[in-house]
Amino acid sequence: MTTLAFAILLMASLAGYALNRRAATGIRDGGARLHSVSNYHGLYALLLMLVPVIVVILIWLVLQGPVVNAMVMSALPAGTMDGLDTGQVDLILAEIRSISGGRIFGKPDPWKLAAAEHLADLRQLAALSLVLLTALLCLAIMCFARQKVTAEFRARQAVERIISGLMIFCSVVAIFTTVGIVTSLAFETYEFLRLVPLSEFLFGLNWEPQIPIRADQIAAAGAFGWIPVILGTIVITLVAIVIAVPIGLLSAIYLFEFAPKRIRAVAKPLLEILAGVPTVVYGFFAILVVAPAIRSFGASMGISVAPNTALAAGSVMGIMLVPFISSFADDALSAVPRAMRDGALALGATRAEMVLNVLFPAAIPGIVGGALLAVSRAIGETMIVVMAAGLMANLTLNPLESVTTVTVQIVTLLIGDTSFDNPKTLAAFALGMMLFLVTLVINIFALRIVRKYREAYD
Amino acid sequence: MDDLRAITRDVDINATKISARRVQVHYGDTHAIKNVDVDIKERTVTAFIGPSGCGKSTFLRCINRMNDTIDICRVQGDIRIDSDDIYDRKVDPVQLRARVGMVFQKPNPFPKSIYDNVAYGPKIHGLARSKADMDEIVERSLRRGAIWDEVKDRLHAPGTGLSGGQQQRLCIARAVATDPEVLLMDEPCSALDPIATAQVEELIDTLREKYTVVIVTHSMQQAARVSQKTAFFHLGSLVEYSDTDEIFTNPKDRRTESYISGRIG
């Protein structure tokens, strides 16, 4: 039925287009001078129909489910719902829905069968009214648009207004999605903080996210201090940045200033391929190549190295960030005016001196901005650390030990059977919230630096 | 006209500083400079004039080997400063550029302090033995750039904060700080307002006492005002090279005459 509504809308808007266009052409052929060419009159009818009616249909579809459910539940025999919590109410609703879908298990109560029938009727009705509403709206708008067609009507501006309305709608969707994500995070985080005090979460030095299965279990109480987890993230991020920044920066400078054309033509796309490698593949690389190499190297030096070190995960993550940093550095370097380079060269500076003394200081805000964005990517990176980092939350700064990260913990907390009323699961949302806040602050900081640098040479 | 002639007589006494023979420049497939022969006199202002794209800037950039920094550019022929071949294998272009300073079309101070801008050249070439030495070089250069009085109280303010004309004089001071023998100027006034232009032109005239100045300019009035010798370039060739008053009053070549009277260009 929804498809039918869309089909009606499409046909009606095409018809409106043709109608208006013909009317406008008729006026022109009658000798009048049109303000807008007839195509715009047609487009006006088309867009005037398409944009608002699609919005109406979408809103209808979003609201239809909950409204129908509420109507079914309120029509149940009085007293059925007394003393039931939300979970049980949901269960009844699900059963009614599956009955109306034709999947009947056992012998359901007669009131459930009645409700299922009611539900099916309501759905039918809703779909029918949607189609009717669409048709009526289309007809009304078509008449309205047709009556607008005159020689003086400014269809060009009208079309522009409708299109700008469409753009506003799209940006609002993007903004509301963000708001929705943050709200859902905040809601679950609030639930978590009702079970675990904020001070324990923020300052606790132990992370053992478990809950007792039986009441008499020994050592079952979990500990939810996020310090060791964020410390692990910081260690891995630091390793990644220490590796990514020099490699990315120096390769960018080499490709930008020193490399002959032929090498640049080959090396730059190769570097960009690195950016296209899926992180899961980086994860393989970390487990199969880097971690054993570090371990055997440590063994040859007489140092005991954990099998899944922060160093292995961090260094592979650093390699992942190299193209990111180098493309930012490249942008920053090419934004430095050529006159600046010529000035230094003409004073008798060598290329290296020129890069170091003139290009680099001029490009540094852009490079720092890029590095900070890389940091927030490293903090949020999940797949590599899930595969290559540990699960134990060790309170350590030693990159040769196994550490865990915020993202790894979120993944492990949410894997498997979960219920959303215990701190173990909810902790994932609290961690997600903190991750979101940390990366948000870093991003704001980075964007501010980048913007400042943009003003430098204008 | 009389004083112009007086200058001309001076010039003829001076020795040749730069001598170019059969210079050819190719940019990729474009033949930008064709067989240019020219002798530039010591302690003289020589102006290169000509329509856009005639190769005058390209030729200027041959004299300090700035064209080497462009991958696709090839320079052939023979350019000598004081009878040393500057394209000889033994010559280090980096050292050469300390001997041959350059000022660009747009003022291009580094995003550093005024002091550091001027001190940059002497620093990389190791011309100052001590801080006091460097202070002296900076002050002397800024005085030669005729900007000392305007900036002496804010030597550590950023050079980019100066006005356009001041920035250009700062760049001239920066160029003379390495104690060059030749100063190349590539349309040094084209980004400046008339007052700043007058100041820079006045400065160029005083620079002649110590340096051999070669200036590329689009303004024929400017060439007439500041130079003693003028070379007219057209389509990559040197058409006419002579005393400035000679070029402007009595050009030998028909193309020079057309350009000066505004018919080509």
Side-chain angles (χ1 to χ4, degrees), chain A residues 83-126:
Chain A
L84 297 182
D85 66 19
T86 45
Q88 286 160 312
V89 171
D90 282 350
L91 216 59
I92 292 176
L93 185 60
E95 197 181 347
I96 293 172
R97 277 158 73 171
S98 73
I99 294 171
S100 82
R103 297 182 299 277
I104 304 168
F105 305 104
K107 228 174 145 29
D109 301 330
W111 60 267
K112 281 183 183 162
L113 286 174
E117 207 146 306
H118 187 199
L119 178 68
D121 288 350
L122 278 178
R123 278 189 174 162
Q124 190 83 27
L125 186 70

Side-chain angles (χ1 to χ4, degrees), chain A residues 339-340 345-348 357 457, chain B residues 94 97 108-109 111-112 120 125 174:
Chain A
M340 213 61 75
L345 291 175
L347 282 173
N357 303 333
Y457 284 105
Chain B
V94 166
R97 289 179 200 138
N108 57 349
K112 301 172 188 286
Y120 184 70
H125 293 291
R174 185 175 72 184

Side-chain angles (χ1 to χ4, degrees), chain A residues 204-205 207 225-239 310 392-399 402-406 431:
Chain A
L205 296 180
W207 179 261
W226 83 313
I227 296 284
V229 185
I230 188 69
L231 206 64
T233 297
I234 290 172
V235 170
I236 288 186
T237 304
L238 269 181
V239 171
M392 288 291 290
N394 290 327
L395 192 66
T396 175
L397 282 171
N398 182 359
S402 161
V403 297
T404 189
T405 73
V406 176
L431 284 180

